[in-house]
Amino acid sequence: MNYQTDVCIIGAGPGGALLAYLLAKQNISTILIERSDELGKEFRGEHLNEDGEMILKKHHIFEEIESLGLLRMSRVEYWKDGHVFKTIESELGHAGIHVPQLHLLQSINSQASIHPSYKLMLGTKVTELMQNEKGQYTGIKAQQKGRGEIIVESKIIIGADGRYSTVRKLAHIKNNIHNHGYDLLWAKIPAPANWEPSIKFALVKQQQVALFSQTKGFVQIGWNIEKGSYPTLRKQSFRPFIQRLIDAFPSLNLSIERFITSWSDFTLLSVQSSISEVWSKHHLLLLGDAAHTMTPTGAFGLNESLKDADLLSDLLHQVFYQNKEISETLRQFEQKRKPKLITLERIQFQREKEFSSHFISS
């Protein structure tokens, strides 16, 4: 099967999905390709900050997400020796919003599907980028479940396919990876009764532990461990390790005892940040994590991908309605966004370095 479109977006995460919707709404033909069979696969960076909230409200998506379910966290707390040590109240009325990725993507897709210029292809894995004699990328080849090979010819290709981007690899774009010195253990457990939605931090053996309230009565746990230490850690006794978490947050005792009983109840996330050497190349552009992978610190990732999509949709409007040159427009996006992401990466390093200072009495 052969298709033709103005823009082909690979990766139906928040950034890719939002961009597809914003382009289709402008009557720019857009094909959104996702290798998974369904939207909303498990995603741990579901924290919406003020910037992300503003963009979703700007494009009238937030209201539908709210109807499906989200959770505003009341404040940030720092815990020491099993008690609240310091509390920070937000001037916004909340310290962040948990938005399940499924709710976010369903809301975007339902509004995008209204527009005939939008097409979503699930179960489709990109295998090759096509180029013309000038070296410009002109489309993709992909394997679609149940249909075999398909070809999508496109004026612009957007790689929004995450930190391990296939598009980035196929385009031979170098990705500069930066080590932050830690990995992360994730777990999700039911919240105890009367748990107030909040963000809670503790320092356990000089490592950060973070708790994020989630919709449907859950708490997400993120526990920093030394980079590369997990294989050694797993050989040690589990009980003393998990007791540190209970001591840090005593009210979670019963839930931890029931739902975190072995190392297998944690999921390991290899933590790194990266900034791709170039984001635009011959009518191809990287977006979101494919261009700039962030660590969990500050929960910037989701919000920055939404900001990418918001800006890029405006710039691509100029390409298709004001005859702006494609390569120059894509470079303009990179020039506007890249310095900001480099700054955010530095902020993450600084916050990680200074985390323990929150537990020192003034």
Side-chain angles (χ1 to χ4, degrees):
M1 294 284 295
N2 283 31
Y3 300 88
Q4 290 186 332
T5 189
D6 290 328
V7 180
C8 179
I9 302 171
I10 295 92
L18 179 61
L19 178 62
Y21 164 55
L22 297 180
L23 295 179
K25 192 166 63 168
Q26 300 175 59
N27 201 31
I28 297 169
S29 64
T30 304
I31 291 178
L32 178 60
I33 289 178
E34 169 58 43
R35 67 183 299 167
S36 299
D37 294 333
E38 57 186 19
L39 293 175
K41 58 186 180 297
E42 185 177 2
F43 183 70
R44 297 179 183 88
E46 297 180 327
H47 185 95
L48 198 67
N49 65 20
E50 182 181 7
D51 291 335
E53 180 183 3
M54 179 186 67
I55 288 170
L56 294 176
K57 287 182 175 178
K58 171 185 173 182
H59 298 297
H60 309 292
I61 299 168
F62 188 85
E63 295 81 359
E64 183 174 343
I65 298 170
E66 190 165 24
S67 71
L68 292 173
L70 53 76
L71 181 68
R72 292 174 175 86
M73 285 167 271
S74 59
R75 60 182 174 268
V76 177
E77 299 174 349
Y78 292 87
W79 283 60
K80 186 176 182 180
D81 300 323
H83 301 281
V84 176
F85 176 74
K86 179 172 67 175
T87 298
I88 298 176
E89 301 285 350
S90 172
E91 296 178 357
L92 300 174
H94 63 77
I97 304 174
H98 174 241
V99 177
Q101 172 147 298
L102 179 59
H103 294 177
L104 173 60
L105 295 180
Q106 281 182 342
S107 299
I108 295 173
N109 184 60
S110 69
Q111 296 196 36
S113 299
I114 297 170
H115 302 279
S117 48
Y118 170 80
K119 184 176 181 61
L120 172 63
M121 293 183 175
L122 296 174
T124 305
K125 180 181 178 180
V126 173
T127 56
E128 185 179 334
L129 300 177
M130 300 189 301
Q131 292 176 277
N132 62 18
E133 65 280 358
K134 297 179 182 178
Q136 296 168 341
Y137 291 103
T138 58
I140 60 101
K141 293 182 181 180
Q143 288 291 323
Q144 192 171 54
K145 188 169 291 187
R147 304 185 72 176
E149 184 175 83
I150 65 166
I151 292 175
V152 178
E153 297 178 15
S154 180
K155 296 171 185 175
I156 298 173
I157 297 171
I158 306 294
D161 51 339
R163 63 168 57 195
Y164 303 114
S165 172
T166 296
V167 173
R168 186 181 64 223
K169 293 173 184 175
L170 292 174
H172 305 291
I173 295 176
K174 183 179 178 182
N175 192 36
N176 297 313
I177 296 173
H178 305 125
N179 182 358
H180 287 244
Y182 70 97
D183 292 325
L184 201 60
L185 294 179
W186 289 105
K188 187 165 80 169
I189 60 175
N194 302 317
W195 181 268
E196 187 174 358
S198 58
I199 301 169
K200 304 180 191 296
F201 293 108
L203 194 64
V204 176
K205 294 290 185 179
Q206 296 304 306
Q207 298 287 358
Q208 174 180 306
V209 175
L211 306 182
F212 293 90
S213 299
Q214 293 191 317
T215 58
K216 299 182 180 180
F218 286 94
V219 175
Q220 184 184 67
I221 302 168
W223 190 336
N224 292 15
I225 61 173
E226 185 180 350
K227 186 73 176 176
S229 66
Y230 191 52
T232 301
L233 197 59
R234 281 187 65 105
K235 295 177 183 177
Q236 300 174 12
S237 174
F238 183 73
R239 184 66 216 180
F241 181 81
I242 203 63
Q243 186 62 45
R244 297 171 197 162
L245 183 61
I246 295 171
D247 293 342
F249 300 106
S251 62
L252 287 179
N253 180 24
L254 293 178
S255 195
I256 291 171
E257 293 281 11
R258 182 176 177 184
F259 294 99
I260 309 181
T261 60
S262 70
W263 295 112
S264 61
D265 292 319
F266 282 109
T267 299
L268 177 68
L269 174 66
S270 178
V271 173
Q272 63 189 39
S273 63
S274 66
I275 304 284
S276 294
E277 199 164 81
V278 297
W279 295 8
S280 60
K281 182 179 179 182
H282 308 319
H283 294 197
L284 177 147
L285 180 76
L286 301 178
L287 183 86
D289 279 3
H292 49 78
T293 301
M294 314 203 74
T295 73
T297 300
F300 294 120
L302 165 61
N303 302 279
E304 293 306 312
S305 68
L306 297 178
K307 288 163 74 173
D308 280 356
D310 184 51
L311 173 61
L312 186 56
S313 68
D314 288 341
L315 293 175
L316 292 183
H317 182 275
Q318 297 173 17
V319 168
F320 292 101
Y321 289 99
Q322 298 175 27
N323 296 317
K324 293 290 182 71
E325 203 274 325
I326 292 175
S327 293
E328 180 54 37
T329 301
L330 299 186
R331 280 195 296 270
Q332 185 181 356
F333 170 83
E334 180 176 350
Q335 290 162 2
K336 285 188 174 185
R337 289 291 291 149
K338 195 171 187 178
K340 296 178 181 180
L341 271 299
I342 291 172
T343 299
L344 274 182
E345 185 184 52
R346 290 176 183 150
I347 289 172
Q348 288 190 311
F349 272 112
Q350 192 65 25
R351 287 190 182 183
E352 291 159 2
K353 180 181 178 181
E354 296 175 351
F355 178 75
S356 60
S357 67
H358 289 286
F359 301 89
I360 300 173
S361 299
S362 57

